[in-house]
Structures are given as C-alpha cells and as structure tokens.
C-alpha cells in the first residue's frame, strides 16, 4: 500500500466534519456525531434470498442471517462468514456494516454470506464468549456447506472494526487447530493493544479529526476491561489481540482495508507488516478520505468500492 499526504475527506463527509468543527466544543452533542453516519443515498438492491435462523453455540443459540443469491448455481458458491463491529459491546445484524455489507458482497460476488450476531460483552458476558461464537459459526458453515450451497474449500472469515479483530483472532485459532479459513477479510481492524504508534503521515491526517471520533488507548483500556471482565490486557489470550502472536506462519491469504482518517489504521498497517514477514500473502488498501467505520454509511462511494474489492476476493478463487 502506498500512503500519501491527502488530508481531506470525501466531499460529503468533509462537509459534515466542517459543520461539526464550526460548532463550539461545549455544544456538540451525540446527535451531531451520529449525523456523520447519515445515509448519502438509497440502499442497493440485490436479488437475494435472506433467511434469519439460529444455530447451535457454546452458550445460547447464535442468531445468524444467511444471504444467498436467488436461483440455482452451476457449482457450490464461495462463502463469507461476516462479523459486524461495535467495539465488542454494540452492533447487530441490522446495522449497515452488517446488513448492507452482507447484501452487497453476496450480490456482487454471487456468493453466500453468513452474518453472525455473536454475543456482545457486558458486565455479565466477557471474552471468550464472542470468540467462541465466531468459532462455532464458522464450523457450522463448514459442516453444513452442502445444504447452504457452499464450497467447503472456499469459506472466508471476515469482519469490520471489532468484527475484524474477532475474525483475525478466530482465524489464528483455526490455524492453530489445522483448519484455517480459505482467506481472511479484515476491514479497519484493531488487533493490537496498545494501539501502535502512528506514522508521521497518519499523525498529520489525524489532526484533522475531532477528538471524539478517534479511539485512543485510554478508551481501549476501558472497553478491554469490560471485554476481559476486569483482567489486564497483558494477561489476555493471543486470540484477543492476534497482532501480538509470536508466529503468524500459516495464516491464510488476507485482505486488510484501512480507513485514512482512523487512529486504528496503525494497527492494520502493523499487522500487514507482521503477516508479510511471516510469508503470508497480504493485500492492503487505503480507503481514502473516510473516517473509521465507512461501511456504516449507506450510499458512500468509498463503501461501494470496498464491497467491490471484497467481492473480487471471493470471485477470483
């Protein structure tokens, strides 16, 4: 990936950021920031069969949503097991990062997408609950591939933000057990704690982002404490932050998509370096002009480009 000193947003995102920055700091509300994610256009339409169901899990049954292109296929289709983000404590199957991403990839790639509603962390639910749900969902897809119309040799595992973290951790675990996914698709993932230091180029870009839109290590510490049930990050399993694995050899081919104006970009860039050093095939791209979580904005051109890239990864195999 080539980085460059762009330092300007996608035009519509830039307009919204400009309006936000013109407000006095003490008058900005949560609604002001939520407006950044308002749709920029209509949702895409695809001819898909979409089914909500529950599957067996290590704890409660796991809700999943299965997206299949309508009509028959001459051969089993590739599949993506997909995980939404939400800082491990939020998100669901209806958020754009889950629903619109799954629809867009299934339609573009003529692939089956299984979106997973893993358990969210709370005062009563901690790691490894979400990790275990992801492992169970991946194995359910693999074991039920014929019924799903899926090629069992072409099952990818992917996610965005916290979902990218869970996808990377589960991929590492599956590798350790000799059943690594076909490939991993990691969208603006966080796989290190603390967050790696930013490059000079990234640091310059981040000066243009309002502080409440950036994740910093203090916030990560708070979220991680909830995720880990109060245990220190240093004691966490390597499957929690797989960027700290000593050996990444055997990790499957990986696609990493980083957002330009995102403090977590340094984690995606560092993980790319680590995977390449381990001899893993990695495609890293920079989604220019966007903030963290760009797949959550319906109608955003950069989101469509990302869906095109993800679909290409699934089709080419």
């Amino acid at each position: 990936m080539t980085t460059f000193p762009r330092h300007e947003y996608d035009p519509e995102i830039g307009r919204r950021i400009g309006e936000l920055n013109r407000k006095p700091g003490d008058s900005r509300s949560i609604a002001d920031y939520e407006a950044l994610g308002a749709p920029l256009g209509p949702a895409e339409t695809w001819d898909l069969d979409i089914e909500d169901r529950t599957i067996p899990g290590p704890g409660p049954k796991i809700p999943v949503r299965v997206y299949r292109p309508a009509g028959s296929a001459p051969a089993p289709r590739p599949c993506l097991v997909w995980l939404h983000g939400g800082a491990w404590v939020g998100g669901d199957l209806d958020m754009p990062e889950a629903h619109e991403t799954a629809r867009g990839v299934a339609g573009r790639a003529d692939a089956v997408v299984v979106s997973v509603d893993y358990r969210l962390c709370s005062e009563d639910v901690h790691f490894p609950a979400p990790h275990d749900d992801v492992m169970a969902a991946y194995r359910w897809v693999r074991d039920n591939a014929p019924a799903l119309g899926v090629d069992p040799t072409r099952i990818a595992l992917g996610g965005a933000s916290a979902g990218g973290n869970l996808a990377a951790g589960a991929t590492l675990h599956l590798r350790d057990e000799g059943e690594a996914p076909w490939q991993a698709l990691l969208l603006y993932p966080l796989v290190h704690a603390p967050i790696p230091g930013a490059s000079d180029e990234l640091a310059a870009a981040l000066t243009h982002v309002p502080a409440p839109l950036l994740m910093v290590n203090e916030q990560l510490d708070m979220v991680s404490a909830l995720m880990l049930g109060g245990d220190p990050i240093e004691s966490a399993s390597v499957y929690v932050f797989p960027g700290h694995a000593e050996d990444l050899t055997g990790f499957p081919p990986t696609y990493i998509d980083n957002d330009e104006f995102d403090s977590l970009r340094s984690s995606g860039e560092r993980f790319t370096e680590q995977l390449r050093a381990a001899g893993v095939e990695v495609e890293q791209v920079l989604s220019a002009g966007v903030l963290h979580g760009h797949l959550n904005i319906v109608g955003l051109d950069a989101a469509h480009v990302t869906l095109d890239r993800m679909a290409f990864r699934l089709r080419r195999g």
Side-chain angles (χ1 to χ4, degrees):
M1 181 196 73
T2 301
T3 58
F4 52 94
R6 177 186 173 92
H7 307 328
E8 61 184 41
Y9 298 98
D10 176 277
E12 178 58 22
I13 301 301
R15 182 188 67 77
R16 293 177 180 182
I17 286 285
E19 291 178 353
L20 192 63
N21 282 334
R22 281 196 291 271
K23 294 177 180 288
D26 60 358
S27 71
R28 293 185 295 206
S29 66
I30 292 175
D32 290 325
Y33 290 107
E34 289 179 341
L36 287 171
L40 296 177
E44 297 180 320
T45 57
W46 296 98
D47 189 11
L48 304 172
D49 294 325
I50 301 175
E51 177 187 10
D52 285 321
R53 58 189 302 175
T54 57
I55 63 174
K61 288 189 175 182
I62 305 167
V64 299
R65 185 171 293 167
V66 182
Y67 300 76
R68 283 180 283 210
S72 60
R77 292 179 165 105
C79 178
L80 172 63
V81 179
W82 179 249
L83 314 171
H84 65 76
W88 303 283
V89 298
D92 56 38
L93 296 181
D94 293 323
M95 65 191 292
E97 193 174 71
H99 185 59
E100 298 303 330
T101 298
R103 292 174 68 249
V105 171
R108 285 170 168 81
D110 191 35
V112 176
V113 178
V114 179
S115 185
V116 182
D117 198 11
Y118 55 85
R119 279 175 287 176
L120 301 176
C121 293
S122 66
E123 292 184 358
D124 301 316
V125 177
H126 311 292
F127 193 89
H131 174 86
D132 290 346
D133 286 354
V134 172
M135 295 284 288
Y138 175 83
R139 288 170 172 154
W140 177 83
V141 171
R142 180 199 61 197
D143 295 344
N144 291 276
L148 294 168
V150 165
D151 180 347
T153 68
R154 293 193 294 159
I155 302 174
L157 181 56
S161 192
N165 164 278
L166 290 169
T171 296
L172 184 65
H173 196 165
L174 290 162
R175 180 214 64 173
D176 289 347
E177 298 191 353
E179 50 180 335
W182 168 43
Q183 57 180 309
L185 307 184
L186 309 179
L187 284 295
Y188 36 91
L190 172 63
V191 293
H192 303 86
I195 303 167
S199 66
D200 290 344
E201 182 270 323
L202 175 56
L206 296 181
T207 63
H208 297 259
V209 183
L213 298 178
L214 297 174
M215 174 171 275
V216 296
N217 282 311
E218 290 77 10
Q219 293 169 308
L220 177 59
D221 288 343
M222 290 188 291
V223 173
S224 297
L226 182 63
M227 179 174 67
L228 300 173
D231 293 337
I233 289 176
E234 294 76 13
S235 69
S237 160
V238 71
Y239 302 137
V240 180
F241 292 107
H244 298 296
E246 293 184 1
D247 180 14
L248 291 169
T249 305
F251 207 88
T254 300
Y255 168 85
I256 296 178
D257 190 325
N258 297 311
D259 289 334
E260 183 176 12
F261 294 94
D262 181 5
S263 54
L264 303 189
R265 174 163 45 118
S266 58
S267 183
E269 291 175 342
R270 174 66 182 136
F271 199 49
T272 297
E273 295 171 356
Q274 293 173 278
L275 290 171
R276 286 177 176 161
V280 177
E281 175 196 331
V282 185
E283 177 188 2
Q284 179 182 221
V285 301
L286 181 70
S287 286
V290 295
L291 300 163
H292 181 80
H294 73 277
L295 289 179
N296 261 318
I297 303 179
V298 176
L300 179 67
D301 287 343
H304 295 158
V305 171
T306 293
L307 298 180
D308 290 342
R309 290 171 176 157
M310 294 170 66
F312 178 77
R313 295 279 311 195
L314 297 179
R315 288 197 312 266
R316 76 175 188 177

